[in-house]
Structure formats: structure tokens, C-alpha cells
């Protein structure tokens, strides 16, 4: 797809290469938001180092009139602000693209490539002339390139001005400087270059009814709306902003303006072992509680997760996945915890896992997770990832059903315990669905029992008796069957033509898969698509698999973990599944999917 | 925790407390520990303390980790909910329980292995959070349940049953709790009911984190000669520094207390702890001096006991957080969920 030959209006990618700690983040998100407000679908991805200041960081903005929100794999406009990565950045620009750099210091030699137009703007010089303060000079360079891009990409200046005013509403003194910097860049570009470029933005009406939000914020909001009152955590990238969001929303919605009293309690735990313990202590007492973490934290939580499975305590755990193994690459994305989450802990242990694919689903599945955890009295893990959790995604507005009532599951309350004809027995399967009734501490002595991870019988008593032990562990499997019926259905997209081919995928692969399907269908390859939203896999997943000769399983890890799980937990033949894997830490784009399927299909036809 | 139900025989002559309950109502199932185990005496003292305080048993949440000591919550307060956590992690369960329901009496039972080895981190953090609970360490210097290995509280020079000598420094939970801001720190001995019961009552009523480290000999693995956690050694080198008596709110202070070295500490519910100094040069309000005193005696092989430090003024976890006074688990959904309009207006931020 050469930049020259194609009409690039509302269909291109800008990449901004910066140094972290120089304040580029707010300029870059302002740029993205301006495009969004012009009604053009857009997405922003941040590639940042595990470091606070001084290392390279990139921000990629894809503008797509067709609403494709995965990475494009191309870079049409590069803003190269980091001298250290000039060469790398120049090399990455697609043929026919444009590179913008700070020409305060001439770099002609390093910065030339025949197929790329290089535009120099003396950003530092302009800012040094107009601003006295050293910090302002650094910060305003960012706003100056936003101004230049406004001219080059034909952005609506009014929209940008409004955004500046909103962004700095709390620090009004900064508005003037920022507007000035934008004007400097805008005028320089207008005077010196032919504006706009072929890659440019034209207002559309394709973003109304949508918001730009990151998944962690949406998930934190989901926790507030679900009625969660206790949160526990130990800081870890990329999950930290989830608890930050929860706390910020609680300060807004759950704090008594007069007394300052809080209707929530967040505990920063000493580690993840404690974080999950705090969650279990709280749910034992009838509160809704959750903990956000990432891979290393999930590993630490394993012992307690097995405990919660066996003692049957609700818990909601967000695993915002990052690159493993071990510490891995903390600021890169992956889907490497699928198996670890599904079977976390020793012994015959299995967990309900939900897989959001975007921020909107982070919100919706948070609510589902709390309901399922209470209904099934078991941990529910939500597997998000860094791409969803920390990047701003365009998604549909979040909706609220005012009729929603939390499903608190089966509980013997004070009335049932006191006046009740039936004696309370903690693990007795009264309803035949594998889910027993629980009781909360402090309510009534008749509901008292011991929560324990050691062998217990259906009455809640300690046991080492073979038959009694097995009865409970078999009932847990019956409960698993109930879980299959209760978890969210998969997302399914069918082609208009009948096809024996299908893609099965998960989570943040969704946008790349959707785009790949469109691209393949224009080449005459038609595929059905199923995206799992939950483990255990329900009937809809197994039925879908059965209807296809060949299934491509697309996921972002090396070991084909989703495929392994499908092999283990469905009767679909392993031979009929082919993995398409992407696991270098950058979010997947459609190209690797298109290439793999094209090849497989052509080989299949030849055979 | 083998479960043997104790037949509930209530003699008509049994004393009843203010709730009309007898001591039987505060008992649990039959202990399965070794005959003579110090832990059983502590269980008996706990039963007595709750009975005398006339706390409704179901308003207590009993929590423990793993170990012989951690089994004991099954042996008292059978109508209280219990939580046997994984090894060393009871403090986090207690933290969550308190977060969800601040109105319960939280009682944690742990061992020296459970709290000072695998659970040292969680123990410390419960202290510094000033979690409102009573935390009991049944300290026998060994891992009873895994058959007698040294624990982190074993003293230098103490010998194991098979003759091996411990050469590593002991971790003293009392000194740790004082250093980390504990607000009620005590030590006692399973063999001294008279000291222990009032301490338990004071600890239950204390607002904030209360620690009682109780020397509790393991008759099976650590009660021999050359052990510093045996009954004989503890009786010989036992050094009560402060005696604490608990006086319920309405009760008058007996005249005999008003003389000499007696100090009264008022608790939030109006009850008082009367501190009677046994040792003249001891101060219960001075962390530094208290630690020095304990260490000086430790060097002589002596075990300083009593209520060793108390501070009623520090805010607990909820005070620091400014949590609502109503337990969070009782708040209706409508007050927790911001609703449709808030969600609509909030999203203007994301456009
Ligand atoms: C993770 C884990 N590691 C090891 C054990 C084995 N274990 C059970 S009890 C115990 C030591 C208990 O010692 P202590 O807390 O002093 O209790 P005591 O039996 O002496 O009362 C150990 C190591 C376990 N249950 N869990
Ligand atoms: S082994 Fe020791 S600690 Fe355990 S029950 Fe027996 S005497 Fe008590
Ligand atoms: Mg021990």
C-alpha cells in the first residue's frame, strides 16, 4: 500500500518519537483528540520504556475513516523529536511518507532517504525565542509540533484551541503559552511547506456516540458501578491506573461532601499475596472486592486463588497482562497469562476467566465478573492487557441499565438462619446446580462455619474421609457446568458466504482480526470469526468450532495458550486448528494474520 | 482440624453472664492437640475472657493461619464464623474482614512459625496499619505441626529435642510490634491465667492493633531440658513488669488499686485498664525505654511479660482512611452506584 498511489485522506498513521519525561504525552493525546472531535475514527498507542525519564518513547496515532483501530503496520508521518532514534525512526517511515524534525540543529546527513520527504522546523529555536522559562521551552516544543501538524494535516484549529482550554482549565496561566506555541508551529509550516499533505484529515461524522477511553479507567469505573467497596492492590505496571481510576471515581461519587467519610476502602497491600488475601477477607464478609494486578502478581496470588476456589469465596482479579516470562517487558503487551489464569494454583483447580477486547468490554465484563463471582462463589479473573488497559481506544459510549441489580448469589440471611426450618450447612448442594448457600460473619450464630482450605465435607466440617472429600470436589465440577451456562457468550461474526474457515481469537486481537477478515474477503477468502469472551467455554463455542473444517487461532503469545485451552477443554480436533501467533510485545496488526491465512488457504487449495 | 463435637451439657447451676449465656456458649469443639499443649490453656483463657466480657459470640470473627496454634479457633466460640487462611496469611484476611465489616470483633490466632517466618511481612503490615484486631501469637519456638523444627523465635542456645542447638538470633514479635507502631503490645504465658485473662479482655476492647505474644510450650517437641520455651524455663525466668486489670465501664475501681503504682487507661467504650507496675522503672508509654528494658532482661535470659506498651490515641486503618462508620458490607447498592446520569455526564471527559 504505497502512500503515493493511495488517497490518504483520513487513512494514515502518524508516529511521534519523543524522549520520556519531556511532556510529550499531553501534546500527543491532544492531537489524537482533535482528530476524534473532527469526527474521524482514530486510535492512539503508546510505546514507552520501563523508566521515568530520558529514554525513547513513541506514540502512534492511526487515523482510519473505516474505523480500523489496530496498528496499521505503516508510518506515514513521523515526528522525530529524539535525536538518539533518528535513524531508526527514519527507517520506519513507509515509502512516500513524511518525516518532521527539529531543524534547530541541522541533521541533513543522518536524515535523508530518497523515498521520504523530510521537513525541518526549528522548534527549539522558535520556543527559545518566545519563552523565558527553561521548562516551558521544553514543553512548548511539543505544542509547536502540534501546531505544525495542524497545518500539514489540515486539522481544525478551533477544535485544537478548545482542547487546549479544556486541558489547562485548572491552570489557566498556561493556556496563553500553549496557544502561542501552536501558532508558531502552524505559521511556520504554512509559510514554508505546501500544506496540507496528501495524508490529511477531513471532518466526518463517524465518532458521535463514541468515547476515547483506556481500559483500566473503564474497568475502574465498572468496579464503582458494580458496588465494589473494597479494593486491594500492590502497584504494578500496567495495572496501576485501574486502581487510580477506581479511587478517583470513588472520591467523586462515594465521598460524603460534608463529613468527608468514604463509602469505600482501598488498601495498598504489602504485596500481591496480601492483596488477594484482603479481597478474600472482604468477600467472606459479604462485600464486593477486587484486586488489579499483572503477571508477576498473578503468580504470587496462586496459593490464595486455589484456596478461594476450594473454600468457595468470590473474588474479582484483574490481570492486565504484560510481556513475560518473569519481569519480562513491563511496558509491552502480550496475552501470556491465559493458562496461568485458567488453572492458577496447585491441585485440581480451575477458574472462571473473562476476556475483554476493548475498554467498553472492560466496563461491561467488570460488572459481569462481580455477578458471576457472587453467583458462583469463586474467583473470576478478568484478563485485559497493556494495550487495552493503558491506551486510549475509541469505543461506544458506556451505557447503564437503571434496572440493574447486583446478583449477590445464594446467601442465608438473618431471617433464613433464625426462623428457617432448614439447618445451615455451608457446602450442601440444595438446588442441584453445584452452588451451595453461604452466610456472612456477624449475622447469626446458626450460620457460623469455618472457611478452610483443608479437606471439608458438605456440612463444612473438617474431613480426611475419602468419600466426603470426593463428594465436595465432584460438586465443584458440577458447579463448573453451571458456570458454562452463566458466562458471557462469545462474540461471533459470520461472513455472507458459507465458509469452512474460521478465526478464533481473544481480547485485544479483535481489531486486527476484524481488519484482516475484511482484507481477506476482498481477496476472495471468507472467514467466520468467533472471539471467546469467557472460560469455561460454553456450548456456543463448541458448536461454532464443530461447524468448521479449519480454524485459525489468533493470539498474542508464543505458546499458543488459547489453542491449548481449546484442545484441553473442547473435543475439537487439534489437527484442525492452526495457530497465528504474535508475541514481540507490540500490539498485533492485521498483516501477519492476512499473510498466514492467505498462505494456508492457497496451500490447502493446491493440496 | 479434626472436628469432634463437644456435647453441650448445661448444668443448671452454671453462672450466666449479662447476655444470659453460660461459659458453654463460648466453647468450641473438642481439642485434638497433644495433652498438655500450651495452646489449649490459651483456648480456655479466651473462652473465659469473652464470657466475662459478655460479647455475643457471633459478633466475633476468628481467623488463623496454619499450624497447631492456628487450629485452635475451632475449639472456642463455636457460634462465631472462622477463617483458616493459608500459612502466614491471616493478617491479610483480617484486613479485608475489617475493611468490609468494621463492627466485628476480630480475633487472630497464629503461631511463631506462622507469624515470624512465612508470615513476617503480613504480620508487620497489620501492625503498621493499626488494624483494629486482637492478634495472638501462641509462641513455642518450634513448628509443632511439621514436627519440631526450630522457628524464628527460638532463642540462641536453645536446644532441639534431638540435641541440635539454635545459633541464629530470635525474632521477637513484641519488640517488632513496638518498633513498628503497635498500639497495644503485651506478652504473657499460657501457664499464667491470672495475667492472661485480663490482658485478653483489654486487648479485645482496645481500639487498634493489639498483640499478645503468649509463650505456649509444645510438650511434644520443645518442653525438654535446654529448651528456652519449656514450662520449667518459662516459670523460672518469667518476669512480669506490668500487671493489667480490666475494669468494665460501669464498674467501680476497687479501693486497693488506688494505692501505689497504679495507672488507669481509659478505652473508647468507657472501660478501663488498670496498670499495676510490678517493676518500678518500667514505663508503658515509652516505646524506646520499653524496648531497652525488654532487651536488657532478654540478655539475662529473662522473659518480660505484662502489658508492655499501650497507646489509645492513634487512628486505626479506618480512622486513617476515613471510612464510613456504617460497615461497608451494609451499604445499600443505591448509595454505592452513581447511576445513569452520572455516567452520561462523566463521559463528557472522554470525548
Ligand atoms: C505454604 C506452606 N508451607 C509449608 C506448610 C507446612 N506447615 C504447616 S504448619 C507449619 C509451621 C507451623 O508453625 P507454627 O506457626 O509455629 O505453629 P505451631 O504448630 O508451632 O503451633 C508449616 C511449616 C504449609 N502449610 N504451607
Ligand atoms: S505438637 Fe506441640 S504445638 Fe502441636 S499440639 Fe502437640 S504440643 Fe501442641
Ligand atoms: Mg510454633
Amino acid at each position: 500500500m504505497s502512500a503515493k498511489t493511495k488517497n490518504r485522506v483520513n487513512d494514515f498513521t502518524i508516529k511521534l518519537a519523543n524522549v520520556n519525561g519531556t511532556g510529550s504525552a499531553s501534546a500527543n493525546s491532544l492531537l489524537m483528540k482533535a482528530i476524534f472531535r473532527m469526527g474521524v475514527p482514530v486510535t492512539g498507542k503508546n510505546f514507552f520504556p520501563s523508566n521515568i525519564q530520558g529514554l525513547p518513547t513513541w506514540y502512534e496515532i492511526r487515523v482510519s475513516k473505516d474505523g480500523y483501530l489496530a496498528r496499521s503496520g505503516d508510518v506515514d508521518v513521523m515526528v522525530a523529536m529524539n535525536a538518539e532514534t533518528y535513524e531508526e525512526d527514519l527507517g520506519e517511515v513507509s515509502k512516500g511518507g513524511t518525516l518532521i524534525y527539529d531543524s534547530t540543529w541541522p541533521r541533513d546527513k543522518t536524515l535523508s532517504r530518497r523515498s521520504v520527504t523530510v521537513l525541518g522546523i526549528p522548534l527549539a529555536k522558535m520556543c527559545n525565542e518566545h519563552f523565558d522559562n527553561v521548562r516551558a521551552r521544553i514543553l512548548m516544543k511539543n505544542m509547536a509540533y502540534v501546531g505544525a501538524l495542524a497545518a500539514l494535516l489540515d486539522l481544525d484549529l478551533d477544535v485544537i484551541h478548545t482542547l487546549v482550554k479544556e486541558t489547562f482549565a485548572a491552570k489557566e496561566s498556561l493556556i496563553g503559552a500553549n496557544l502561542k506555541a501552536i501558532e508558531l508551529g502552524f505559521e511556520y509550516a504554512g509559510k514554508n511547506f505546501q500544506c496540507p499533505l496528501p495524508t490529511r484529515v477531513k471532518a466526518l461524522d463517524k465518532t458521535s456516540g463514541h468515547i476515547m477511553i483506556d481500559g483500566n479507567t473503564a474497568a475502574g469505573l465498572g468496579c464503582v458501578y458494580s458496588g465494589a467497596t473494597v479494593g486491594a492492590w500492590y502497584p504494578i505496571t500496567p495495572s496501576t491506573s485501574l486502581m487510580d481510576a477506581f479511587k478517583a471515581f470513588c472520591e467523586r461519587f462515594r465521598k460524603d461532601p460534608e463529613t468527608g467519610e468514604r463509602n469505600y476502602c482501598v488498601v495498598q497491600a504489602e504485596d500481591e499475596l496480601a492483596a488477594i488475601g484482603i479481597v478474600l477477607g472482604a468477600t467472606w464478609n459479604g462485600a464486593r472486592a477486587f484486586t488489579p494486578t499483572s503477571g508477576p502478581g498473578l503468580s504470587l496470588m496462586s496459593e490464595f486463588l486455589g484456596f478461594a476456589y476450594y473454600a468457595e469465596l468470590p473474588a474479582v482479579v484483574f490481570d492486565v497482562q504484560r510481556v513475560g516470562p518473569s519481569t519480562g517487558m513491563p511496558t509491552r503487551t502480550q496475552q501470556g497469562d491465559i493458562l496461568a489464569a485458567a488453572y492458577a494454583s496447585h491441585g485440581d483447580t480451575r477458574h472462571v476467566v473473562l476476556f475483554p477486547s476493548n475498554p467498553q468490554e472492560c466496563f461491561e465484563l467488570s460488572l459481569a465478573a462481580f455477578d458471576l463471582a457472587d453467583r458462583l462463589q469463586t474467583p473470576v479473573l478478568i484478563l485485559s492487557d497493556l494495550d487495552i488497559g493503558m491506551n486510549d481506544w475509541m469505543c461506544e459510549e458506556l451505557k447503564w441499565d437503571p434496572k440493574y441489580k447486583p446478583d449477590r448469589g445464594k446467601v442465608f440471611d438473618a431471617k433464613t438462619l433464625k426462623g428457617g426450618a432448614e439447618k445451615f450447612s455451608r457446602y450442601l448442594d440444595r438446588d442441584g446446580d453445584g452452588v451451595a448457600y453461604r452466610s456472612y460473619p456477624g449475622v447469626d450464630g446458626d450460620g457460623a462455619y469455618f472457611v478452610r482450605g483443608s479437606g471439608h465435607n458438605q456440612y463444612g466440617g473438617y474431613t480426611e474421609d475419602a468419600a466426603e472429600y470426593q463428594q465436595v470436589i465432584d460438586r465443584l465440577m458440577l458447579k463448573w457446568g453451571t458456570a458454562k451456562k452463566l458466562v458471557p457468550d462469545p462474540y461471533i461474526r459470520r461472513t455472507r458466504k458459507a465458509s469452512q474457515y474460521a478465526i478464533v481469537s481473544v481480547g485485544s486481537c479483535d481489531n486486527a482480526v476484524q481488519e484482516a477478515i475484511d482484507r481477506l474477503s476482498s481477496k476472495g477468502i471468507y472467514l467466520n470469526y468467533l472471539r471467546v469472551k469467557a472460560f469455561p467455554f460454553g456450548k456456543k463455542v463448541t458448536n461454532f468450532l464443530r461447524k468448521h473444517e479449519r480454524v485459525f487461532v489468533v493470539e498474542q503469545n508464543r505458546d499458543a495458550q488459547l489453542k491449548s485451552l481449546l484442545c484441553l477443554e473442547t473435543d475439537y480436533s487439534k489437527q484442525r486448528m492452526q495457530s497465528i501467533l504474535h508475541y514481540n510485545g507490540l500490539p498485533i496488526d492485521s498483516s501477519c494474520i492476512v499473510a498466514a491465512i492467505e498462505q494456508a488457504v492457497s496451500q490447502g487449495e493446491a493440496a | 482440624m479434626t472436628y469432634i463435637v463437644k456435647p453441650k451439657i448445661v448444668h443448671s447451676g452454671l453462672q450466666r453472664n449479662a447476655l444470659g449465656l453460660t461459659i458453654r456458649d463460648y466453647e468450641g469443639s473438642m481439642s485434638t492437640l497433644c495433652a498438655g499443649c500450651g495452646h489449649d490453656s490459651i483456648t480456655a483463657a479466651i473462652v473465659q475472657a469473652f464470657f466475662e466480657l459478655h460479647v455475643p459470640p457471633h459478633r466475633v470473627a476468628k481467623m488463623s493461619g496454619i499450624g497447631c496454634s492456628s487450629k485452635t479457633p475451632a475449639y472456642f466460640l463455636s457460634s462465631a464464623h472462622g477463617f483458616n487462611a493459608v500459612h502466614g496469611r491471616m493478617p491479610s484476611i483480617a484486613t479485608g474482614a475489617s475493611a468490609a465489616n468494621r463492627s466485628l470483633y476480630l480475633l487472630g490466632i497464629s503461631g511463631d512459625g506462622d507469624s515470624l517466618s512465612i508470615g513476617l511481612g503480613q504480620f508487620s503490615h497489620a501492625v503498621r496499619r493499626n488494624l483494629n484486631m486482637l492478634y495472638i501469637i501462641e509462641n513455642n519456638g518450634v513448628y509443632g505441626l511439621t514436627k519440631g523444627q526450630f522457628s524464628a523465635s527460638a532463642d540462641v542456645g536453645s536446644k532441639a529435642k534431638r540435641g541440635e542447638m539454635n545459633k541464629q538470633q530470635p525474632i521477637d514479635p513484641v519488640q517488632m510490634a513496638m518498633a513498628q507502631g503497635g498500639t497495644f503490645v503485651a506478652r504473657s504465658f499460657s501457664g499464667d491465667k491470672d495475667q492472661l485473662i485480663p490482658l485478653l479482655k483489654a486487648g479485645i476492647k482496645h481500639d487498634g492493633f493489639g498483640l499478645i505474644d503468649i509463650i505456649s510450650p509444645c510438650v511434644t517437641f520443645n518442653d525438654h531440658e535446654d529448651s528456652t520455651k519449656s514450662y520449667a524455663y518459662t516459670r523460672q525466668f518469667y518476669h512480669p513488669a506490668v500487671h493489667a486489670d480490666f475494669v468494665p465501664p460501669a464498674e467501680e475501681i476497687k479501693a486497693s488499686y488506688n494505692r501505689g503504682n497504679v495507672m488507669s487507661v481509659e478505652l473508647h467504650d468507657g472501660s478501663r485498664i488498670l496498670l499495676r507496675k510490678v517493676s518500678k522503672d518500667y514505663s508503658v508509654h515509652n516505646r524506646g525505654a520499653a524496648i531497652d528494658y525488654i532487651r536488657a532482661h532478654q540478655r539475662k535470659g529473662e522473659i518480660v511479660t505484662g502489658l508492655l506498651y499501650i497507646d489509645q490515641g492513634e487512628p486505626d486503618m479506618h480512622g486513617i482512611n476515613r471510612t464510613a462508620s456504617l460497615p461497608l458490607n451494609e451499604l445499600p447498592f443505591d448509595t454505592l452506584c452513581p447511576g445513569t446520569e452520572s455516567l452520561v455526564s462523566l463521559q463528557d471527559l472522554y470525548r
Side-chain angles (χ1 to χ4, degrees), chain A residues 203-264:
Chain A
L204 292 174
D205 183 21
K206 286 197 169 178
T207 63
S208 58
H210 288 74
I211 54 169
M212 300 260 0
I213 193 169
D214 66 77
N216 284 351
T217 302
L221 192 58
C223 293
V224 176
Y225 270 76
S226 76
T229 49
V230 178
W233 68 305
Y234 186 75
I236 183 167
T237 305
S239 74
T240 300
S241 55
L242 199 161
M243 192 56 100
D244 290 344
F246 179 75
K247 280 203 278 193
F249 291 131
C250 282
E251 284 297 285
R252 187 176 176 138
F253 297 123
R254 295 261 193 94
K255 193 162 129 179
D256 189 312
E258 272 154 43
T259 63
E261 281 198 349
R262 298 181 159 119
N263 285 338
Y264 72 100

Side-chain angles (χ1 to χ4, degrees), chain B residues 39 66-69 110-114 137-145 149-151 153 216 218 222:
Chain B
H39 301 349
I66 299 285
C68 297
S69 36
S110 180
D112 40 325
D114 197 60
I137 298 180
E138 304 189 345
N139 192 341
N140 53 17
V142 287
Y143 296 169
L145 194 59
Q149 301 84 358
F150 280 127
S151 81
S153 74
S216 175
C218 168
N222 205 15

Side-chain angles (χ1 to χ4, degrees), chain A residues 159-466:
Chain A
V159 170
I160 293 182
H161 289 168
T162 313
L163 274 165
V164 169
K165 284 173 198 152
E166 287 174 16
T167 310
F168 301 103
K171 298 173 258 177
E172 256 183 60
S173 57
L174 296 178
I175 294 176
N178 279 281
L179 291 177
K180 180 72 202 167
I182 287 167
E183 186 191 319
L184 290 173
F186 187 84
E187 289 193 346
Y188 187 93
K191 256 188 224 138
N192 295 281
F193 313 126
Q194 202 188 335
C195 291
L197 299 171
T199 46
R200 78 177 95 127
V201 179
K202 194 167 162 242
L204 292 174
D205 183 21
K206 286 197 169 178
T207 63
S208 58
H210 288 74
I211 54 169
M212 300 260 0
I213 193 169
D214 66 77
N216 284 351
T217 302
L221 192 58
C223 293
V224 176
Y225 270 76
S226 76
T229 49
V230 178
W233 68 305
Y234 186 75
I236 183 167
T237 305
S239 74
T240 300
S241 55
L242 199 161
M243 192 56 100
D244 290 344
F246 179 75
K247 280 203 278 193
F249 291 131
C250 282
E251 284 297 285
R252 187 176 176 138
F253 297 123
R254 295 261 193 94
K255 193 162 129 179
D256 189 312
E258 272 154 43
T259 63
E261 281 198 349
R262 298 181 159 119
N263 285 338
Y264 72 100
C265 183
V266 169
V267 185
Q268 186 180 321
E270 53 272 34
D271 53 35
E272 288 86 346
L273 288 79
I276 182 71
I278 292 165
V279 168
L280 298 180
T283 62
W284 170 46
N285 278 281
R288 284 190 154 183
F290 70 98
T291 178
T293 189
S294 190
L298 181 70
S299 293
L300 286 185
M301 289 179 189
S302 285
E303 191 188 17
F304 252 144
L305 283 171
F307 178 101
Y309 169 77
Y310 188 36
E312 301 183 61
L313 289 169
V316 171
V317 178
F318 293 89
D319 174 4
V320 187
Q321 298 166 98
R322 64 189 214 182
V323 169
S326 191
T327 304
M329 296 197 285
T331 60
R332 297 288 185 264
T333 197
Q334 210 169 56
Q335 299 175 312
D337 298 348
I338 297 174
L339 289 172
Y343 303 118
S345 205
H346 56 276
D348 285 329
T349 305
R350 43 182 61 236
H351 304 292
V352 174
V353 187
L354 304 181
F355 304 97
S357 72
N358 59 39
Q360 183 195 0
E361 286 186 1
C362 285
F363 179 77
E364 293 166 358
L365 293 184
S366 304
L367 287 148
F370 283 101
D371 281 348
L372 285 167
D374 275 340
R375 165 66 33 193
L376 295 164
Q377 301 172 12
T378 200
V380 175
L381 294 96
I382 301 176
L383 248 58
S384 173
D385 64 28
L386 182 140
D387 185 20
I388 304 173
M390 290 189 73
N391 286 320
D392 278 330
W393 290 49
M394 182 176 119
C395 62
E396 279 172 41
E397 276 171 3
L398 309 179
K399 299 254 157 44
W400 185 245
D401 172 7
K403 290 195 294 291
Y404 171 82
K405 284 274 166 278
D407 177 0
R408 300 309 314 272
K410 302 184 191 181
V411 182
F412 263 39
D413 58 11
K415 239 200 260 150
T416 351
L417 284 168
K418 253 284 160 287
E422 290 186 81
K423 196 174 166 297
F424 174 76
S425 290
R426 174 62 182 94
Y427 297 113
L428 196 64
D429 185 7
R430 293 165 191 276
D431 305 330
D433 60 357
V435 185
Y437 287 75
R438 58 186 187 131
S439 63
Y440 301 143
V443 175
D444 193 288
D446 288 346
Y449 73 102
F450 248 97
V451 179
R452 51 163 66 87
S454 46
H456 46 266
N457 60 26
Q458 60 177 337
Y459 309 108
Y462 178 90
T463 193
E464 293 177 9
D465 180 273

